[in-house]
Amino acid sequence: DLRALTALDEINVQNERATAAAAAEPGPADGDGIARTVAILHTDDLFGSDVSRFSRHFAERYGYEVVTDAAYKANTPDLTSEIQRLKASGAGILIAASYLPDATLAIKGMKQQGVSFQGILGMDAGFIDAFRHLHPGAPQHYPWWRQFGGARARNIGWRIDYILISAALLTMLIL
């Protein structure tokens, strides 16, 4: 999932800027005040497990340590035990792959239990799909089609090339 890559790239850039500014108090992981520990909260379905897998991969690639990985059933009525696990991990960054009702429940639960993070990356997390921004409402633009069943001829494909950017980069976006 390129969303996990993009989110970690974004936080890596922010961390590099913070390091360069040297304005932070010393932190537990690397002395510059920048969290290098990650907690992952996700649904136990394909979406959530894929986000977890990719998050682990890219966390390691960029020098972050995943200290806990909490999966839960989608549309659960209670996330108390998962939130306690996040809190106990002491992670500085949370990567969350949740559907809206679950995300709302998690945020409320974290607030009630006094759980906070230096950074939270949620899927979509305020990032903008650059292609959809440049081509709003443009249907059926795909870079990949199944190799059988006439999918390409019928233009039944998948978007696998998401380029997500922050709002600050919109002015730099060109065709």
Side-chain angles (χ1 to χ4, degrees):
D1 189 321
L2 291 178
R3 293 178 185 183
L5 168 62
T6 305
L8 284 171
D9 280 337
E10 182 72 19
I11 202 162
N12 201 43
V13 167
Q14 291 173 4
N15 281 346
E16 287 172 2
R17 287 183 187 145
T19 300
E25 297 277 324
D30 55 10
D32 64 4
I34 298 168
R36 296 279 181 204
T37 53
V38 175
I40 303 171
L41 175 67
H42 62 91
T43 56
D44 66 355
D45 58 8
L46 181 62
F47 164 64
S49 57
D50 277 354
V51 169
S52 175
R53 185 169 43 95
F54 283 106
S55 295
R56 284 181 171 282
H57 171 78
F58 289 111
E60 182 178 305
R61 177 177 172 183
Y62 288 111
Y64 295 86
E65 177 189 3
V66 176
V67 294
T68 193
D69 188 328
Y72 65 90
K73 286 226 171 280
N75 296 311
T76 185
D78 183 31
L79 288 170
T80 302
S81 62
E82 290 82 0
I83 293 169
Q84 288 172 348
R85 187 170 160 192
L86 298 176
K87 186 175 185 175
S89 76
I93 299 168
L94 172 64
I95 298 176
S98 301
Y99 301 106
L100 185 59
D102 302 332
T104 304
L105 183 64
I107 291 167
K108 287 179 181 178
M110 285 187 281
K111 185 175 181 180
Q112 290 170 346
Q113 295 184 43
V115 180
S116 64
F117 296 92
Q118 188 177 21
I120 298 177
L121 299 173
M123 297 305 103
D124 290 329
F127 291 101
I128 298 158
D129 179 344
F131 178 83
R132 291 287 178 223
H133 180 77
L134 292 174
H135 307 283
Q140 300 176 326
H141 283 78
Y142 306 115
W144 187 88
W145 301 264
R146 290 186 325 173
Q147 301 303 309
F148 52 89
R152 187 170 189 154
R154 295 181 298 150
N155 199 27
I156 300 171
W158 291 353
R159 287 220 27 234
I160 59 170
D161 61 342
Y162 290 94
I163 299 173
L164 303 177
I165 61 174
S166 66
L169 296 177
L170 275 179
T171 59
M172 301 158 97
L173 191 58
I174 57 174
L175 294 173

